[in-house]
Amino acid sequence: MRITFLYHSAFLVELKTCTLLFDWYGGTLPDFDRSKPLYVFASHHHGDHYSPEIFSLGMEGVWYILGSCIRLSARRKAALGIDETHVFRLGGGRTLELGELTVTTLHSTDAGVAFLVEAEGKTIYHAGDLQWWKWAEESDDWNRDMERDFKREITKLAERTIDVAFLVLDPRQEEDYWLGFDWTMRHTEIHNAFPMHSWEEFWITKKLLNNPCSRPYRDKIHPIHYNGQPFALEENRN
């Protein structure tokens, strides 16, 4: 499996028989084998996760799996040349069988969905904006509800073995930056974890690695140092 961190929460995952593209909202992509089926995922409509520019990848051999909050008018669809048979919109708690993929969605704690993708005997999780969001400016009740909702969704992954997980690590949460990442790693079986949604402040991963909380799982974390960074995962990494 070859993984390229593109920017923010965007990743390109190259498998033997297909390619997965998560939360890419424009810009240059690295070279990859366009003869394989391409599955383009957009977790929700926020501008740091989605842009209609994704449809510039065309329709031939490309399928789009979108959070149900992403909507386009009939006029915009026509202008973008969208073939509806290649576009699937999913809310939380749904399962889609598509070619060699099984896609399951979780409800986000912000907007849209998180994706759990099974392909070629591997399981890949992309959190989107599903995160334990804790903000000092919010009420205690709001923060308690957020914690409850986040844990409820992540608990649904407890029986899974996840080969690759793209997890939110957001420096805007200041001293609470580690809560969601840590709880996910402690309550699921994840072999390879990639921090994302860090707004290119890559130092936050080093901060997590130096945090005693990460001791049980820090060898599973792949630090990201720059946009466009590639990773080649060994089959036997665990």
Side-chain angles (χ1 to χ4, degrees):
M1 187 189 306
R2 180 178 172 84
I3 294 171
T4 304
F5 171 73
L6 303 174
Y7 49 72
H8 196 51
S9 299
F11 290 86
L12 185 73
V13 179
E14 297 174 74
L15 300 171
K16 292 178 181 177
T17 61
C18 64
T19 303
L20 316 177
L21 179 59
F22 291 97
D23 280 15
W24 174 74
Y25 51 90
T28 302
L29 290 171
D31 292 335
F32 63 97
D33 187 351
R34 288 301 304 267
S35 68
K36 299 177 184 178
L38 172 62
Y39 298 93
V40 181
F41 296 83
S43 61
H44 62 288
H45 65 282
H46 291 166
D48 62 322
H49 292 263
Y50 162 77
S51 165
E53 187 175 338
I54 65 174
F55 296 108
S56 66
L57 295 170
M59 294 289 145
E60 185 175 354
V62 185
W63 286 264
Y64 298 86
I65 303 96
L66 315 177
S68 60
C69 59
I70 296 173
R71 300 181 182 277
L72 291 167
S73 67
R75 178 177 295 181
R76 192 70 184 276
K77 290 176 186 176
L80 293 168
I82 293 175
D83 178 349
E84 286 286 359
T85 65
H86 285 242
V87 180
F88 301 85
R89 296 172 61 249
L90 302 177
R94 295 280 305 279
T95 298
L96 171 69
E97 302 284 346
L98 182 59
E100 59 269 87
L101 267 59
T102 300
V103 180
T104 304
T105 57
L106 301 179
H107 296 272
S108 178
T109 46
D110 189 358
V113 299
F115 293 110
L116 191 72
V117 182
E118 298 169 78
E120 299 181 8
K122 294 180 170 52
T123 301
I124 299 159
Y125 171 68
H126 189 283
D129 267 0
L130 173 53
Q131 166 69 334
W132 182 344
W133 299 111
K134 185 177 181 182
W135 305 108
E137 62 270 22
E138 297 290 350
S139 69
D140 289 344
D141 285 344
W142 188 95
N143 282 315
R144 278 194 296 267
D145 289 347
M146 176 61 60
E147 177 182 354
R148 177 202 64 207
D149 294 346
F150 171 78
K151 290 180 177 179
R152 181 195 63 222
E153 292 302 305
I154 297 302
T155 297
K156 296 174 183 178
L157 303 176
E159 301 302 316
R160 305 273 193 162
T161 298
I162 299 173
D163 296 283
V164 172
F166 305 120
L167 305 177
V168 175
L169 193 67
D170 196 319
R172 298 176 304 166
Q173 292 188 264
E174 299 180 334
E175 291 310 305
D176 295 314
Y177 75 97
W178 59 277
L179 290 176
F181 198 107
D182 178 75
W183 205 87
T184 302
M185 294 300 294
R186 289 176 180 273
H187 291 85
T188 61
E189 184 178 349
I190 292 172
H191 291 174
N192 299 273
F194 291 82
M196 68 172 191
H197 210 278
S198 301
W199 305 96
E200 280 57 73
E201 296 188 41
F202 301 119
W203 55 265
I204 197 69
T205 303
K206 184 176 181 180
K207 186 174 182 179
L208 177 65
L209 292 171
N210 289 331
N211 188 324
C213 77
S214 68
R215 188 173 293 114
Y217 54 79
R218 62 176 54 135
D219 61 332
K220 299 179 180 182
I221 297 174
H222 294 263
I224 293 171
H225 303 290
Y226 60 91
N227 290 347
Q229 183 174 348
F231 301 84
L233 298 191
E234 299 295 335
E235 289 288 335
N236 61 351
R237 180 179 171 104
N238 53 55

